[in-house]
Each structure stands twice: as structure tokens, then as C-alpha cells.
């Protein structure tokens, strides 16, 4: 299950193209292995499921090509949706192996929709800790790049109890290889 930051920071330096390429390559691989891939995207004021877990390569490609970037970062909302989806998938098939892949710079700046304001980072910390208690193998791919780094992606990885890597250190092929190793 991919949780993909589609905020304004992802449009820089072709980061979204790298992510889309990796997801499509993994989906093709999943199709051969009978695995499923799902995508939650977040940007602007909310997060949404743009691809329910599927083996349908054509549907995934259409959804990913249409994925816009820009706006703010509702990270806590994305993690709430991921938590709900992981719980639902585990109820449907308790034996199903799962991997959560979060791609973000961790710079949460939009509070949860129902919170009437609240601090976006505090909510992200709480939601990440809650998600980590589900004990789903998680890979945190930090998209923060440039000369000044804030370190929120690394903090998020720690909160999620995730394996941590920086996206800029990986090509699309390298990302696919890393994820395949994580899946086993």
C-alpha cells in the first residue's frame, strides 16, 4: 500500500515521475505474482484513496497518470486513511502479507479535517504512532531534498517504526529493487 505525498514539494525535481514509474513497475511485477497494489494520495486539504488494492495494471496506470501535484500537505489525514485501510484489509484476509510504503518529506501543514484547527505535526505524530502499533512492515521514503533539510521525513520514519531511505538516493529501478527486497 503506497501513501504518496502529492503536495507542491513533490512536483520539484521530477520526484513524482520517479514515484509513478516505481509504482507501475511494481504493479506489473505484482500482476505476475498475483499481489495487489493500492495508492493513497494526499495534497491540498485532504487525502484520498486513488487506487483500491488491485492487480489491474491499466486502471492503475490511468489513475497514476492523472495524479496532480501541488498544494499543502495533509499528512495526518493520509495516515488515518492508511490505518483504516490496513485494518479493513487485515479483517478481510488475516493471512495476507502487507507492506506500507510512505513517500513524503514529512512536512505536515494541514490539520485533520474534523479537528477544528489543531497542530498538523502533533496529529501526524499521534496518527503515525497509532499506525505503527498495527505492526505492518513499513518503508519510509523521504522525499526531502536540497541544501536545507528539515528532518521531518526521518522523524516520521521513526514514529512509524519504518525502514528509512531517502528517495533522492534511488533511481526508479533502485526503488523497485528496494521495495521488492522489503516484500521478500
Amino acid at each position: 500500500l503506497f501513501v504518496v505525498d502529492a503536495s507542491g514539494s513533490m512536483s520539484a525535481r521530477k520526484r513524482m515521475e520517479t514515484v509513478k514509474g516505481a509504482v507501475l513497475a511494481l504493479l506489473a511485477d505484482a500482476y505476475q505474482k498475483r499481489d495487489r497494489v493500492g495508492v493513497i494520495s494526499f495534497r491540498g486539504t485532504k487525502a484520498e484513496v486513488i487506487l483500491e488494492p488491485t492487480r489491474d495494471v491499466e486502471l492503475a496506470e490511468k489513475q497514476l497518470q492523472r495524479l496532480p501535484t501541488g498544494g499543502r500537505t495533509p499528512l495526518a489525514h493520509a495516515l488515518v486513511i492508511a490505518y483504516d485501510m490496513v485494518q479493513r484489509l487485515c479483517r478481510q484476509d488475516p493471512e495476507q502479507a502487507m507492506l506500507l510504503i510512505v513517500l513524503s518529506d514529512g512536512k505536515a501543514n494541514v490539520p485533520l479535517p474534523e479537528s477544528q484547527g489543531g497542530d498538523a505535526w502533533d496529529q501526524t505524530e499521534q496518527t503515525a504512532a497509532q499506525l505503527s502499533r498495527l505492526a505492518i512492515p513499513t518503508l519510509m521514503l523521504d522525499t526531502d531534498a536540497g541544501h536545507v533539510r528539515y528532518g521531518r521525513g526521518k522523524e516520521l520514519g521513526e514514529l512509524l517504526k519504518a525502514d528509512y531511505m531517502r528517495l533522492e538516493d534511488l533511481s526508479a529501478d533502485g526503488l523497485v529493487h528496494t521495495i521488492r527486497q522489503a516484500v521478500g
Side-chain angles (χ1 to χ4, degrees), residues 109-159:
N109 58 21
V110 177
L112 289 168
E114 66 278 359
S115 71
Q116 307 290 322
D119 182 83
W121 179 250
D122 287 347
Q123 293 171 351
T124 298
E125 287 179 314
Q126 292 166 8
T127 308
Q130 181 183 24
L131 188 53
S132 76
R133 288 191 286 276
L134 295 178
I136 300 298
T138 303
L139 178 60
M140 172 65 204
L141 296 173
D142 190 349
T143 62
D144 200 3
H147 299 299
V148 178
R149 295 175 196 266
Y150 294 93
R152 290 290 193 181
K154 188 155 184 59
E155 285 181 60
L156 179 60
E158 291 167 2
L159 290 164

Side-chain angles (χ1 to χ4, degrees), residues 84-101:
D84 292 344
M85 182 178 281
V86 166
Q87 283 199 308
R88 177 175 52 90
L89 294 171
C90 286
R91 276 193 306 274
Q92 289 172 352
D93 184 1
E95 301 303 313
Q96 170 178 271
M98 204 175 310
L99 175 65
L100 182 65
I101 303 163

Side-chain angles (χ1 to χ4, degrees), residues 37-109:
V37 175
V39 179
I40 296 168
S41 169
F42 59 102
R43 65 182 283 272
T45 59
K46 65 182 172 116
E48 62 184 332
V49 176
I50 64 161
L51 185 67
E52 282 287 338
T54 184
R55 294 180 182 99
D56 188 334
V57 177
E58 288 178 29
L59 174 63
E61 191 168 342
K62 272 188 224 170
Q63 293 298 91
L64 287 168
Q65 296 308 328
R66 281 188 259 176
L67 182 61
T69 58
R72 296 170 48 109
T73 312
L75 180 53
H77 191 214
L79 297 178
V80 166
I81 291 174
Y83 179 86
D84 292 344
M85 182 178 281
V86 166
Q87 283 199 308
R88 177 175 52 90
L89 294 171
C90 286
R91 276 193 306 274
Q92 289 172 352
D93 184 1
E95 301 303 313
Q96 170 178 271
M98 204 175 310
L99 175 65
L100 182 65
I101 303 163
V102 180
L103 296 107
S104 178
D105 58 15
K107 298 176 193 167
N109 58 21

Side-chain angles (χ1 to χ4, degrees), residues 2-3 7 19-20 30 35 43 53 67 94 113 129 134 140 146 148 153 155 158 160 170:
F2 286 87
V3 179
S7 67
V19 170
K20 287 178 182 179
D35 292 336
R43 65 182 283 272
L67 182 61
L134 295 178
M140 172 65 204
V148 178
E155 285 181 60
E158 291 167 2
L160 290 167
L170 300 168

